[in-house]
């Protein structure tokens, strides 16, 4: 690892890509990269996409020009092209100005009028302040979606293309719009409870391969896995 620190950035990225490809069966598209990211395996990061300070579960992929930072992505999740997450916010109420010089010590503008941090600029899910968004298992996010920080997208949710997500999304729900609004649930309440209980995405590769024929209909899976 000490050797990697003195290698030019471009070469270092190539070395890390090669290591990920061999160890975790990760495929990188042209100009795609990852930094400080854990791969669970069989992932694809397509052309121009990037994952930074993140985690991505088994079988999940991100599409072209998607850039995500500080996210925890579940298993078997599909993220479309040009998806991004906001990382940072400005005060909209009480504070006279939205300019960070009046509340921040980060130095975005190169100077500050304050001597202490007066406003929390980032929304985090965890106490360690490392995860800005949790994207569940079996989630589908369409193209050109933007996620505000501090939100969780539940297992099995679908986010329509062009949506701006400003609050948590319930499991197995479909949302869309600016801002995101509930459209409908993917399944009945009984079916959703069943899927959340069995957590099929936690099963191993062989189990999923053996039972893939049941996945064409949720009712069929319920009948055979009671």
């Amino acid at each position: 690892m000490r050797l990697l620190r003195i290698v030019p950035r471009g070469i270092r990225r190539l070395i890390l890509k090669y290591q990920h490809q061999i160890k975790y069966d990760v495929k990188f598209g042209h100009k795609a990269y990852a930094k400080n990211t854990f791969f669970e395996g069989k992932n694809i990061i397509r052309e121009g996409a990037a994952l930074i300070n993140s985690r991505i579960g088994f079988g999940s992929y991100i599409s072209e020009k998607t850039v995500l930072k500080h996210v925890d992505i579940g298993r078997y999740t599909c993220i479309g092209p040009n998806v991004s997450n906001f990382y940072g916010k400005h005060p909209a109420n009480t504070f006279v100005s939205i300019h960070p010089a009046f509340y921040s010590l980060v130095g975005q503008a190169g100077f500050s009028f304050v001597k202490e941090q007066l406003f929390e600029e980032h929304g985090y899910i965890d106490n360690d302040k490392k995860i800005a968004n949790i994207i569940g298992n079996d989630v589908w996010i369409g193209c050109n979606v933007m996620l505000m920080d501090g939100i969780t997208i539940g297992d099995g949710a679908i986010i329509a293309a062009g949506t701006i997500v400003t609050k948590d999304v319930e499991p197995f729900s479909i949302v869309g719009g600016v801002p995101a609004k509930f459209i409908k649930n993917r399944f009945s309440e009984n079916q959703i409870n069943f899927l959340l209980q069995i957590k099929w995405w936690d099963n191993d590769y062989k189990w999923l391969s053996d039972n893939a024929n049941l996945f064409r209909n949720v009712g069929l899976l319920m009948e055979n896995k009671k």
Side-chain angles (χ1 to χ4, degrees):
M1 293 302 294
R2 186 174 299 175
L3 177 62
L4 285 177
R5 295 175 185 172
I6 62 175
V7 175
R9 181 180 299 176
I11 301 299
R12 186 162 65 244
R13 283 183 179 175
L14 288 174
I15 294 173
L16 290 173
K17 280 185 183 180
Y18 180 75
Q19 290 175 339
H20 286 132
Q21 287 169 348
I22 297 300
K23 188 174 182 179
Y24 301 109
D25 191 15
V26 178
K27 296 180 174 61
F28 289 89
H30 181 59
K31 293 187 176 179
Y33 74 95
K35 179 181 179 182
N36 298 329
T37 292
F38 171 79
F39 293 88
E40 195 169 18
K42 289 195 176 299
N43 307 112
I44 298 178
I45 313 300
R46 299 197 182 276
E47 292 78 5
L51 272 178
I52 301 167
N53 300 326
S54 298
R55 178 190 180 282
I56 181 167
F58 189 90
S60 295
Y61 66 83
I62 64 173
S63 299
E64 296 83 354
K65 298 182 179 179
T66 283
V67 178
L68 295 170
K69 303 176 182 179
H70 302 276
V71 296
D72 189 329
I73 302 169
R75 297 170 177 169
Y76 301 97
T77 282
C78 311
I79 300 179
N82 203 35
V83 173
S84 60
N85 62 332
F86 294 101
Y87 188 60
K89 54 188 176 181
H90 296 258
N93 300 298
T94 307
F95 279 83
V96 173
S97 173
I98 55 84
H99 197 282
F102 294 97
Y103 56 80
S104 177
L105 298 177
V106 177
Q108 300 94 323
F111 69 97
S112 179
F113 295 121
V114 298
K115 294 184 179 180
E116 61 179 311
Q117 188 75 22
L118 301 177
F119 177 75
E120 181 58 68
E121 299 174 76
H122 305 289
Y124 296 97
I125 304 293
D126 61 326
N127 293 330
D128 293 332
K129 295 186 176 183
K130 293 181 179 180
I131 303 299
N133 296 113
I134 293 177
I135 301 173
N137 306 280
D138 192 36
V139 170
W140 174 24
I141 300 180
C143 63
N144 299 316
V145 168
M146 290 185 281
L147 311 174
M148 295 293 290
D149 55 12
I151 65 168
T152 295
I153 298 176
D155 296 327
I158 294 176
I159 314 298
T163 296
I164 296 180
V165 185
T166 60
K167 60 184 179 180
D168 291 353
V169 177
E170 292 296 315
F172 292 97
S173 65
I174 301 174
V175 303
V178 181
K181 294 181 180 180
F182 174 80
I183 298 174
K184 66 176 183 178
N185 285 319
R186 289 179 58 191
F187 306 111
S188 70
E189 183 177 354
N190 186 42
Q191 290 169 334
I192 290 173
N193 289 335
F194 167 77
L195 291 169
L196 290 174
Q197 182 178 7
I198 68 164
K199 298 182 184 295
W200 62 259
W201 43 80
D202 286 341
N203 286 290
D204 61 28
Y205 195 85
K206 185 180 185 306
W207 186 95
L208 291 169
S209 179
D210 291 344
N211 291 276
N213 63 311
L214 302 176
F215 275 59
R216 65 182 183 271
N217 186 289
V218 64
L220 189 62
L221 183 63
M222 292 177 71
E223 290 175 5
N224 285 270
K225 297 302 173 184
K226 290 181 180 179

mmCIF file of all heavy atoms in Angstrom, residues 107-123:
data_model
loop_
_atom_site.group_PDB
_atom_site.id
_atom_site.type_symbol
_atom_site.label_atom_id
_atom_site.label_comp_id
_atom_site.label_asym_id
_atom_site.label_seq_id
_atom_site.Cartn_x
_atom_site.Cartn_y
_atom_site.Cartn_z
ATOM 1 N N GLY A 107 -14.803 26.435 4.709
ATOM 2 C CA GLY A 107 -14.020 27.285 3.817
ATOM 3 C C GLY A 107 -14.356 27.151 2.357
ATOM 4 O O GLY A 107 -13.487 27.284 1.491
ATOM 5 N N GLN A 108 -15.633 26.901 2.031
ATOM 6 C CA GLN A 108 -16.038 26.752 0.634
ATOM 7 C C GLN A 108 -15.731 28.006 -0.193
ATOM 8 O O GLN A 108 -15.371 27.918 -1.365
ATOM 9 C CB GLN A 108 -17.547 26.458 0.532
ATOM 10 C CG GLN A 108 -17.986 25.193 1.232
ATOM 11 C CD GLN A 108 -18.464 25.467 2.647
ATOM 12 O OE1 GLN A 108 -17.914 26.318 3.330
ATOM 13 N NE2 GLN A 108 -19.477 24.734 3.075
ATOM 14 N N ALA A 109 -15.882 29.165 0.425
ATOM 15 C CA ALA A 109 -15.654 30.432 -0.287
ATOM 16 C C ALA A 109 -14.253 30.985 -0.045
ATOM 17 O O ALA A 109 -13.902 32.040 -0.568
ATOM 18 C CB ALA A 109 -16.691 31.472 0.137
ATOM 19 N N GLY A 110 -13.460 30.280 0.745
ATOM 20 C CA GLY A 110 -12.103 30.725 1.012
ATOM 21 C C GLY A 110 -11.978 31.625 2.224
ATOM 22 O O GLY A 110 -10.878 32.044 2.576
ATOM 23 N N PHE A 111 -13.088 31.941 2.888
ATOM 24 C CA PHE A 111 -13.054 32.774 4.093
ATOM 25 C C PHE A 111 -14.308 32.505 4.916
ATOM 26 O O PHE A 111 -15.271 31.909 4.438
ATOM 27 C CB PHE A 111 -12.970 34.258 3.733
ATOM 28 C CG PHE A 111 -14.223 34.806 3.091
ATOM 29 C CD1 PHE A 111 -15.171 35.485 3.840
ATOM 30 C CD2 PHE A 111 -14.458 34.627 1.733
ATOM 31 C CE1 PHE A 111 -16.328 35.981 3.255
ATOM 32 C CE2 PHE A 111 -15.613 35.121 1.132
ATOM 33 C CZ PHE A 111 -16.552 35.792 1.897
ATOM 34 N N SER A 112 -14.287 32.952 6.174
ATOM 35 C CA SER A 112 -15.447 32.790 7.039
ATOM 36 C C SER A 112 -15.479 33.920 8.051
ATOM 37 O O SER A 112 -14.439 34.386 8.521
ATOM 38 C CB SER A 112 -15.399 31.439 7.760
ATOM 39 O OG SER A 112 -16.511 31.305 8.618
ATOM 40 N N PHE A 113 -16.706 34.340 8.422
ATOM 41 C CA PHE A 113 -16.884 35.382 9.432
ATOM 42 C C PHE A 113 -17.072 34.792 10.829
ATOM 43 O O PHE A 113 -17.113 35.545 11.812
ATOM 44 C CB PHE A 113 -18.117 36.237 9.104
ATOM 45 C CG PHE A 113 -17.987 37.033 7.829
ATOM 46 C CD1 PHE A 113 -18.901 36.855 6.803
ATOM 47 C CD2 PHE A 113 -16.970 37.966 7.664
ATOM 48 C CE1 PHE A 113 -18.800 37.582 5.626
ATOM 49 C CE2 PHE A 113 -16.861 38.703 6.495
ATOM 50 C CZ PHE A 113 -17.772 38.508 5.474
ATOM 51 N N VAL A 114 -17.223 33.486 10.935
ATOM 52 C CA VAL A 114 -17.534 32.856 12.220
ATOM 53 C C VAL A 114 -16.355 32.035 12.734
ATOM 54 O O VAL A 114 -15.464 31.667 11.966
ATOM 55 C CB VAL A 114 -18.786 31.966 12.098
ATOM 56 C CG1 VAL A 114 -19.997 32.815 11.721
ATOM 57 C CG2 VAL A 114 -18.575 30.850 11.086
ATOM 58 N N LYS A 115 -16.374 31.772 14.026
ATOM 59 C CA LYS A 115 -15.297 31.028 14.660
ATOM 60 C C LYS A 115 -15.736 29.648 15.123
ATOM 61 O O LYS A 115 -14.965 28.922 15.760
ATOM 62 C CB LYS A 115 -14.740 31.824 15.841
ATOM 63 C CG LYS A 115 -14.052 33.119 15.413
ATOM 64 C CD LYS A 115 -13.431 33.828 16.603
ATOM 65 C CE LYS A 115 -12.735 35.109 16.156
ATOM 66 N NZ LYS A 115 -12.116 35.839 17.312
ATOM 67 N N GLU A 116 -16.979 29.290 14.845
ATOM 68 C CA GLU A 116 -17.480 27.950 15.140
ATOM 69 C C GLU A 116 -18.526 27.566 14.102
ATOM 70 O O GLU A 116 -19.138 28.441 13.474
ATOM 71 C CB GLU A 116 -18.083 27.884 16.540
ATOM 72 C CG GLU A 116 -19.255 28.813 16.758
ATOM 73 C CD GLU A 116 -19.835 28.679 18.149
ATOM 74 O OE1 GLU A 116 -20.091 27.535 18.563
ATOM 75 O OE2 GLU A 116 -20.018 29.716 18.816
ATOM 76 N N GLN A 117 -18.691 26.248 13.930
ATOM 77 C CA GLN A 117 -19.665 25.748 12.978
ATOM 78 C C GLN A 117 -21.067 25.974 13.543
ATOM 79 O O GLN A 117 -21.407 25.475 14.615
ATOM 80 C CB GLN A 117 -19.432 24.255 12.726
ATOM 81 C CG GLN A 117 -20.254 23.664 11.614
ATOM 82 C CD GLN A 117 -19.744 24.048 10.227
ATOM 83 O OE1 GLN A 117 -18.577 24.416 10.054
ATOM 84 N NE2 GLN A 117 -20.627 23.978 9.239
ATOM 85 N N LEU A 118 -21.907 26.715 12.806
ATOM 86 C CA LEU A 118 -23.224 27.094 13.298
ATOM 87 C C LEU A 118 -24.368 26.350 12.621
ATOM 88 O O LEU A 118 -25.517 26.473 13.047
ATOM 89 C CB LEU A 118 -23.435 28.605 13.110
ATOM 90 C CG LEU A 118 -22.433 29.521 13.815
ATOM 91 C CD1 LEU A 118 -22.726 30.976 13.490
ATOM 92 C CD2 LEU A 118 -22.471 29.291 15.327
ATOM 93 N N PHE A 119 -24.058 25.577 11.591
ATOM 94 C CA PHE A 119 -25.112 24.891 10.845
ATOM 95 C C PHE A 119 -24.582 23.560 10.331
ATOM 96 O O PHE A 119 -23.452 23.493 9.825
ATOM 97 C CB PHE A 119 -25.569 25.765 9.663
ATOM 98 C CG PHE A 119 -26.608 25.146 8.781
ATOM 99 C CD1 PHE A 119 -27.922 25.045 9.193
ATOM 100 C CD2 PHE A 119 -26.269 24.635 7.527
ATOM 101 C CE1 PHE A 119 -28.894 24.463 8.371
ATOM 102 C CE2 PHE A 119 -27.220 24.056 6.702
ATOM 103 C CZ PHE A 119 -28.534 23.972 7.126
ATOM 104 N N GLU A 120 -25.378 22.496 10.484
ATOM 105 C CA GLU A 120 -24.985 21.176 9.994
ATOM 106 C C GLU A 120 -25.209 21.130 8.488
ATOM 107 O O GLU A 120 -26.340 21.124 8.019
ATOM 108 C CB GLU A 120 -25.796 20.084 10.686
ATOM 109 C CG GLU A 120 -25.424 18.676 10.252
ATOM 110 C CD GLU A 120 -23.964 18.352 10.490
ATOM 111 O OE1 GLU A 120 -23.558 18.255 11.661
ATOM 112 O OE2 GLU A 120 -23.235 18.218 9.473
ATOM 113 N N GLU A 121 -24.117 21.074 7.740
ATOM 114 C CA GLU A 121 -24.201 21.189 6.282
ATOM 115 C C GLU A 121 -24.454 19.869 5.570
ATOM 116 O O GLU A 121 -24.730 19.847 4.369
ATOM 117 C CB GLU A 121 -22.904 21.798 5.742
ATOM 118 C CG GLU A 121 -22.628 23.191 6.280
ATOM 119 C CD GLU A 121 -21.274 23.699 5.844
ATOM 120 O OE1 GLU A 121 -21.144 24.092 4.670
ATOM 121 O OE2 GLU A 121 -20.343 23.686 6.672
ATOM 122 N N HIS A 122 -24.333 18.779 6.283
ATOM 123 C CA HIS A 122 -24.504 17.472 5.653
ATOM 124 C C HIS A 122 -25.465 16.627 6.463
ATOM 125 O O HIS A 122 -25.489 16.683 7.694
ATOM 126 C CB HIS A 122 -23.158 16.747 5.526
ATOM 127 C CG HIS A 122 -22.117 17.538 4.800
ATOM 128 N ND1 HIS A 122 -22.178 17.759 3.449
ATOM 129 C CD2 HIS A 122 -20.999 18.174 5.247
ATOM 130 C CE1 HIS A 122 -21.135 18.488 3.074
ATOM 131 N NE2 HIS A 122 -20.407 18.752 4.150
ATOM 132 N N GLY A 123 -26.273 15.849 5.745
ATOM 133 C CA GLY A 123 -27.181 14.921 6.400
ATOM 134 C C GLY A 123 -26.613 13.519 6.355
ATOM 135 O O GLY A 123 -26.247 13.029 5.285
#
